[in-house]
Amino acid sequence: MLTACMLPLRMLGLLILMLSLCDADSICPTELNPLTLDVPRVIERYGASVEVNCTSTEADHKGMYWRIGNNDFRAIPGESFISQSVSLSEWNVTAECRILLNETHECIKELEITIYQNPTVAVFPVNRAVEGTLFELQCNITDVAPVQNLVVRWFKDNQTIRTDNFTNTTTTPVSESSTLAVNISRAEHGAEFKCEAQLDFGSHGPQLPIDSEIYIVSVNYAPEFKNTSEDFFVHEGDDVTLNCDAEGRPQPTFHWKHDGKILSDTNNLNITRVNTSGMYNCSAINFLGKITKEIHVHVTMNIPAAPAVITTPAVITIPEPYKRRGCPLVLTPAKIVVRFGDPVSINCSTSVAVPIHMGWETTSGDVGDNGTSFTWSVEKVEDWSIKSACFITYDDNGNDTQCYVELDITLYKTPDIVSVSALDSGPVMEGTEIQLKCDIINVTPVQKLTVRWYRGTDILRTDVLDENRRIPVNMSSIFNFTAERDYNGAELKCEADLQLETNRPDLGHHLTSSPYTAVVHFAPEINEGTCSKEVNLDGNVTLDCSAEGNPLPDLHWNYTTAENVRETTRWHQKSLTITGATSTNAGFYICVATNYVGEVTSTVTLKMKGQISVFPWRFLWWLLIGLIVVFIVIVIVIVHKYYKKLGRYSFVLDRANDGSDIPIPPLSNGAEDTV
């Protein structure tokens, strides 16, 4: 009975709803609207004016009129045609043609108005165009409307490489930008990148002009040499021109150095009358880097195959009795250190008034006799096995006594080349061992040689070589260290220093190698770290991510995409900008930094300020539902047991006691229960 009563009530409600809808639509049904506009849609530039005609198919009416914005023009009864000039000097202007059919019914025809303003384009680089990096150009489009009809096209050498459209639905002028990112190489130097902006209203709309701007890219790259080391062999006294040509953009500047002194800042170095071998360092520098080239100049000297013997004997052989203390001879200087090829002069004098015999025994040189003083001199010492001794025979209380004093002479030669190289070429991984070798070419005496290893100005290690060599030899020193990331870019060098006391303090006895720049590859490390940020609803926030690593890591964000999230890259930083934040923007934003060594992540948790957490309420709802389910289960169990207990009655398989013929069914197990 209740169900039968509810059905008419439902039908009555549906009928009332239909009647209300018909009443709402009865103002002016679309299919019965008598108004038409000869141009239903207007697309015109801002500030212009348009003439619009409105025609009615209904002649019997109370009046036709125009409403422009909030202003109503005079109604004209009985007319079927009215026109109106509409000024488009307001961005949100509206125009409606209206007709009063009777006292209660009015029909409206709205003019579709699209006001546009052509864009202005400007292109500029976001960063420098450096070979092997991501080069970004930004195209700024200013004061354009409506932006949803804006199309931005990027061209490279007249070929389309990208097209951008915009979804902003605002009708007033705005400024937008489009960023083009390309991996740039030196082959693209001089390429033309063009940004072109145009309002596109389709094939039936006006064909508006295009504004564009061209940017000609200049690709920069670090200096490069064809050869990092060169050798020149010249005859002593000849002239030589050394060349330091290097490619790079911008054009590198040059610096020449020799023995720690700056010689020139041009790409060519002219050396006149070369008389010693040496290493010249040429550095080519621009803002992207510095490289150094070693040029070794080897001077060919005509050293005699055998020493010239000025006095005899050619080989000094002095009897053992001569070698005794108290010999009345004085050598000035008593000890001398001479650079190979330099002159030498030693005086030998005696306190004996009239010596019987006195002189020099030497393998080379000239001897001057002055009675009690003899001078031995050599214009150029070019005999590595040179030996000299001054001897005297004199009357010692009636006995002829002989003795001699041997000259303590040390010949030295500074290295032609001191250079550092890695035994394993190429970059090394963090934590591995780097082994550097310092080569010292053509040096003597080795027992006086000290090798120092430097990092910058700090001494890392000192080696004292212990070999007794009287002729020039090649020596080396090995330095091992563990590659840590702070060594990346560190300059290491070695210095070969001859610990000598010479009569020429103006001549340096040490030579330093060109620096070896360590290249250590290590996994990325994100600078910002894991953090939390808060943003107001409809507010703006920017999340930045940058990382250190070698090679330079690639950066990308993992997040839930949204129309109000924009990703930008500047130098080595990748940022997310959220404009007009909504609750859907809350969540986790994960920055990932990757290179071939490894990958690291950092998470930014974005929270909305003032947003009430729904987690406790959900928890309470689930708790309540769980309690209800438990309660229902308990009730079912109790009821089941109750009815089961009530049902434990047995019936025997006989006729009823009242004598009726109604049989009683047996129990399932055939047993009888008694009450």
Side-chain angles (χ1 to χ4, degrees):
M1 183 65 182
L2 180 61
T3 304
C5 292
M6 290 180 64
L7 183 59
L9 290 175
R10 290 180 179 175
M11 293 179 65
L12 180 60
L14 181 60
L15 181 60
I16 293 172
L17 178 60
M18 292 175 65
L19 289 173
S20 65
L21 291 174
C22 290
D23 182 65
D25 194 48
S26 65
I27 297 174
C28 186
T30 303
E31 64 275 7
L32 299 179
N33 193 332
L35 298 177
T36 57
L37 301 177
D38 61 349
V39 181
R41 183 187 182 193
V42 170
I43 303 174
E44 191 54 78
R45 63 180 176 81
Y46 175 78
S49 61
V50 294
E51 194 78 19
V52 184
N53 298 324
C54 181
T55 304
S56 173
T57 58
E58 179 63 50
D60 185 13
H61 59 81
K62 297 295 183 180
M64 290 177 62
Y65 67 98
W66 281 92
R67 175 177 288 177
I68 308 298
N70 295 322
N71 298 322
D72 290 345
F73 288 79
R74 184 175 61 87
I76 304 174
E79 290 289 338
S80 61
F81 174 86
I82 59 174
S83 64
Q84 180 65 41
S85 177
V86 181
S87 174
L88 306 180
S89 57
E90 294 182 11
W91 287 103
N92 296 315
V93 66
T94 59
E96 298 173 343
C97 180
R98 293 171 170 252
I99 185 169
L100 294 169
L101 298 177
N102 50 44
E103 298 298 336
T104 59
H105 291 74
E106 183 178 39
C107 288
I108 303 170
K109 200 69 166 181
E110 184 176 2
L111 175 66
E112 282 189 55
I113 300 176
T114 300
I115 303 176
Y116 69 82
Q117 182 163 290
N118 282 317
T120 301
V121 170
V123 178
F124 66 93
V126 176
N127 55 357
R128 288 179 182 266
V130 177
E131 183 180 33
T133 65
L134 202 64
F135 172 57
E136 292 186 1
L137 285 172
Q138 184 166 310
C139 180
N140 285 346
I141 306 99
T142 55
D143 295 333
V144 60
V147 71
Q148 62 264 35
N149 293 98
L150 176 64
V151 178
V152 176
R153 297 181 182 88
W154 284 95
F155 298 83
K156 177 187 173 184
D157 294 332
N158 296 321
Q159 290 187 348
T160 305
I161 57 176
R162 176 173 167 175
T163 301
D164 284 343
N165 299 95
F166 301 85
T167 58
N168 191 343
T169 57
T170 183
T171 58
T172 57
V174 296
S175 295
E176 283 287 355
S177 64
S178 172
T179 301
L180 176 70
V182 293
N183 286 312
I184 206 76
S185 67
R186 70 181 67 181
E188 294 168 294
H189 177 73
E192 291 186 353
F193 289 88
K194 180 172 71 172
C195 176
E196 180 181 279
Q198 183 185 27
L199 288 171
D200 185 3
F201 295 102
S203 58
H204 299 292
Q207 303 302 307
L208 299 181
I210 299 172
D211 192 48
S212 64
E213 186 170 276
I214 294 175
Y215 181 85
I216 300 176
V217 66
S218 176
V219 182
N220 300 292
Y221 56 94
E224 290 183 357
F225 289 126
K226 291 183 179 179
N227 300 310
T228 58
S229 179
E230 292 184 20
D231 291 274
F232 281 83
F233 294 88
V234 297
H235 293 292
E236 185 179 14
D238 288 351
D239 299 340
V240 66
T241 299
L242 308 181
N243 187 275
C244 188
D245 284 336
E247 291 184 359
R249 191 173 292 112
Q251 181 66 33
T253 58
F254 300 94
H255 296 290
W256 287 91
K257 282 187 177 181
H258 176 62
D259 287 340
K261 298 179 181 179
I262 297 177
L263 303 179
S264 174
D265 57 1
T266 62
N267 63 333
N268 293 325
L269 177 67
N270 297 317
I271 308 173
T272 59
R273 299 181 61 82
V274 182
N275 53 26
T276 58
S277 299
M279 182 179 68
Y280 295 80
N281 293 326
C282 170
S283 297
I285 308 165
N286 66 17
F287 79 93
L288 288 173
K290 171 184 176 181
I291 55 173
T292 300
K293 178 180 183 179
E294 295 180 353
I295 300 180
H296 307 287
V297 176
H298 304 276
V299 177
T300 303
M301 294 184 292
N302 297 319
I303 300 176
V309 179
I310 306 302
T311 60
T312 57
V315 179
I316 302 174
T317 304
I318 301 176
E320 284 299 322
Y322 282 20
K323 300 178 183 179
R324 63 174 189 166
R325 297 181 180 180
C327 187
L329 293 176
V330 176
L331 300 183
T332 307
K335 179 174 164 184
I336 190 168
V337 178
V338 183
R339 186 174 69 167
F340 184 82
D342 279 1
V344 64
S345 179
I346 305 295
N347 180 263
C348 179
S349 60
T350 181
S351 57
V352 177
V354 182
I356 299 173
H357 186 57
M358 181 178 174
W360 283 89
E361 297 259 349
T362 181
T363 57
S364 62
D366 298 323
V367 177
D369 186 356
N370 191 23
T372 59
S373 176
F374 290 79
T375 300
W376 169 69
S377 61
V378 179
E379 191 172 317
K380 281 187 178 182
V381 179
E382 295 178 340
D383 179 8
W384 291 108
S385 60
I386 191 169
K387 287 185 178 181
S388 294
C390 183
F391 66 91
I392 185 172
T393 303
Y394 62 96
D395 184 1
D396 184 10
N397 297 321
N399 297 319
D400 290 347
T401 302
Q402 294 180 328
C403 67
Y404 81 100
V405 176
E406 189 172 3
L407 175 64
D408 185 355
I409 182 170
T410 300
L411 284 182
Y412 76 90
K413 182 182 181 304
T414 56
D416 290 339
I417 302 169
V418 177
S419 62
V420 175
S421 60
L423 296 184
D424 295 324
S425 60
V428 296
M429 300 279 287
E430 183 181 22
T432 60
E433 187 175 85
I434 297 180
Q435 191 173 61
L436 299 183
K437 181 183 180 184
C438 178
D439 289 312
I440 305 105
I441 306 301
N442 211 20
V443 62
T444 195
V446 176
Q447 64 269 25
K448 299 290 186 179
L449 182 62
T450 299
V451 179
R452 298 182 187 90
W453 287 91
Y454 290 88
R455 178 183 177 181
T457 57
D458 297 332
I459 298 177
L460 302 177
R461 175 175 165 177
T462 300
D463 286 342
V464 178
L465 304 184
D466 187 18
E467 287 194 30
N468 189 9
R469 303 280 189 94
R470 294 180 59 88
I471 60 174
V473 293
N474 300 334
M475 300 299 295
S476 63
S477 171
I478 303 296
F479 175 56
N480 299 320
F481 66 96
T482 301
E484 302 295 342
R485 65 181 57 193
D486 64 333
Y487 267 92
N488 184 50
E491 292 188 342
L492 296 100
K493 56 188 177 182
C494 69
E495 177 188 74
D497 186 13
L498 286 173
Q499 303 288 322
L500 302 171
E501 296 179 4
T502 70
N503 60 343
R504 293 288 303 276
D506 58 314
L507 296 177
H509 305 136
H510 65 272
L511 186 64
T512 304
S513 70
S514 296
Y516 168 84
T517 303
V519 179
V520 180
H521 284 183
F522 54 91
E525 182 177 340
I526 296 177
N527 297 323
E528 287 73 17
T530 297
C531 65
S532 296
K533 282 194 174 185
E534 290 187 339
V535 62
N536 293 317
L537 285 172
D538 205 33
N540 302 333
V541 66
T542 298
L543 310 180
D544 296 324
C545 181
S546 60
E548 303 295 332
N550 193 28
L552 196 66
D554 294 323
L555 298 173
H556 71 272
W557 284 94
N558 290 336
Y559 60 97
T560 302
T561 57
E563 289 186 357
N564 63 338
V565 181
R566 183 177 179 184
E567 194 168 325
T568 58
T569 302
R570 287 183 180 272
W571 294 101
H572 305 310
Q573 177 174 286
K574 191 158 288 242
S575 302
L576 293 179
T577 301
I578 302 171
T579 56
T582 65
S583 59
T584 58
N585 295 124
F588 300 108
Y589 294 78
I590 302 172
C591 176
V592 183
T594 308
N595 62 17
Y596 84 93
V597 184
E599 177 180 294
V600 293
T601 61
S602 177
T603 302
V604 179
T605 304
L606 186 63
K607 300 178 181 179
M608 310 304 293
K609 288 184 179 178
Q611 184 180 15
I612 301 175
S613 175
V614 297
F615 175 76
W617 292 104
R618 288 179 180 174
F619 175 75
L620 292 176
W621 274 110
W622 281 110
L623 180 61
L624 181 60
I625 292 171
L627 292 174
I628 292 172
V629 171
V630 171
F631 175 76
I632 292 172
V633 170
I634 293 173
V635 171
I636 291 173
V637 171
I638 293 172
V639 171
H640 175 71
K641 287 185 177 181
Y642 175 75
Y643 280 103
K644 186 175 180 182
K645 182 176 181 181
L646 291 179
R648 287 181 180 174
Y649 298 97
S650 62
F651 302 91
V652 295
L653 297 174
D654 287 331
R655 301 272 180 187
N657 294 330
D658 59 359
S660 65
D661 294 329
I662 300 174
I664 304 300
L667 295 175
S668 59
N669 56 6
E672 292 183 358
D673 291 339
T674 60
V675 179

